[in-house]
């Protein structure tokens, strides 16, 4: 009589493929490496954000914008002032795109100096070329109506020391110094009363 082999056949995949160990069974060394990598990546992210802010201020082009303060105070983060810029609402005739602008669309605002501050002279769907005396500020379209556009730049909230937000709100008009980096990032560097 023939003897039957008890060895697994090659077609028995369940016996030949090892199953991965559960996460809690990983060696302690591997878990420590994973934790170190996770902490290091978070630290690098925070340092990168800070470095980008300092680089924007150091390498960026500085311009002044006219603004009006409104609506201070955030209970979670302390005092802030919401700023409404003169370039936050622009006439529709400044739009230079081939098609009608859409909400949330990127918008590049071409600025020129006028009486101590920069004012919008054109709004483009793509980054335009600028003359040496001009600057480009990147924003997004928030609202569109027949005769105008409302734009947002990410510069609308300015945090101030606790208790000083109300003082700034009482001002009728302010000047904001903005630094625009060559790669497009913008940052508020100073706020002062209009001279």
């Amino acid at each position: 009589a023939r003897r039957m082999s008890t060895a697994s056949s090659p077609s028995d995949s369940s016996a030949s493929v090892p199953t991965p160990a559960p996460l809690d069974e990983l060696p302690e060394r591997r878990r420590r490496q994973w934790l170190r990598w996770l902490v290091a990546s978070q630290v690098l992210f925070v340092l990168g954000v800070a470095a980008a802010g300092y680089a924007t201020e150091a390498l960026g082009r500085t311009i002044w914008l006219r603004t009006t303060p409104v609506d201070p105070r955030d209970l979670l983060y302390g005092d802030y002032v919401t700023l409404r810029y003169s370039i936050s609402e622009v006439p529709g005739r400044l739009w230079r795109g081939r098609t009608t602008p859409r909400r949330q669309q990127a918008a590049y605002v071409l600025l020129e100096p006028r009486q101590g501050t920069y004012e919008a002279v054109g709004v483009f769907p793509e980054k335009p070329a600028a003359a040496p005396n001009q600057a480009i500020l990147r924003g997004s379209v928030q609202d569109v109506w027949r005769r105008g556009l409302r734009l947002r730049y990410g510069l609308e909230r300015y945090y101030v020391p606790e208790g000083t937000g109300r003082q700034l709100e009482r001002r009728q008009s302010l000047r904001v110094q903005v630094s625009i980096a060559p790669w497009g990032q913008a940052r508020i560097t100073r706020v002062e009363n209009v001279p």
Side-chain angles (χ1 to χ4, degrees):
R2 289 184 182 176
R3 295 176 56 189
M4 299 292 292
S5 174
T6 57
S8 300
S9 65
S11 61
D12 187 2
S13 60
S14 62
S16 61
V17 178
T19 57
L23 186 61
D24 57 350
E25 293 180 11
L26 287 175
E28 185 68 25
R29 182 176 173 188
R30 181 178 282 176
R31 279 189 284 183
R32 285 184 186 163
Q33 288 176 344
W34 173 252
L35 183 61
R36 286 182 189 141
W37 180 86
L38 187 63
V39 170
S41 65
Q42 290 177 344
V43 169
L44 288 174
F45 175 76
V46 171
L47 291 176
V49 170
Y54 287 118
T56 298
E57 190 171 342
L59 303 174
R61 177 174 186 173
T62 300
I63 65 171
W64 287 94
L65 299 173
R66 189 174 296 271
T67 185
T68 309
V70 292
D71 187 30
R73 189 73 189 160
D74 185 318
L75 296 176
L76 295 177
Y77 300 106
D79 277 4
Y80 72 91
V81 176
T82 299
L83 302 172
R84 183 180 298 130
Y85 295 93
S86 61
I87 59 170
S88 294
E89 292 184 8
V90 298
R93 61 182 165 75
L94 294 182
W95 179 251
R96 302 291 187 257
R98 294 180 182 172
T99 60
T100 305
R102 304 178 319 274
R103 293 185 69 193
Q104 305 306 319
Q105 178 179 358
Y108 295 86
V109 181
L110 186 64
L111 304 166
E112 280 185 2
R114 301 246 174 104
Q115 299 178 350
T117 58
Y118 277 69
E119 296 296 331
V121 294
V123 182
F124 299 79
E126 296 178 357
K127 189 173 181 179
N133 68 325
Q134 296 175 324
I136 298 170
L137 189 59
R138 188 181 190 278
S140 63
V141 178
Q142 294 301 298
D143 204 0
V144 181
W145 60 93
R146 180 179 291 182
R147 296 184 180 177
L149 303 171
R150 182 176 293 117
L151 304 169
R152 183 173 178 83
Y153 301 97
L155 302 168
E156 286 76 16
R157 185 173 284 190
Y158 179 65
Y159 287 91
V160 295
E162 188 77 23
T164 61
R166 297 281 179 197
Q167 297 171 5
L168 277 177
E169 185 199 27
R170 294 188 190 106
R171 309 292 185 198
Q172 294 298 314
S173 189
L174 297 171
R175 269 191 348 160
V176 175
Q177 187 181 62
V178 174
S179 185
I180 306 172
W183 54 89
Q185 184 177 358
R187 177 181 182 183
I188 296 175
T189 53
R190 189 174 171 186
V191 175
E192 65 179 33
N193 295 329
V194 173

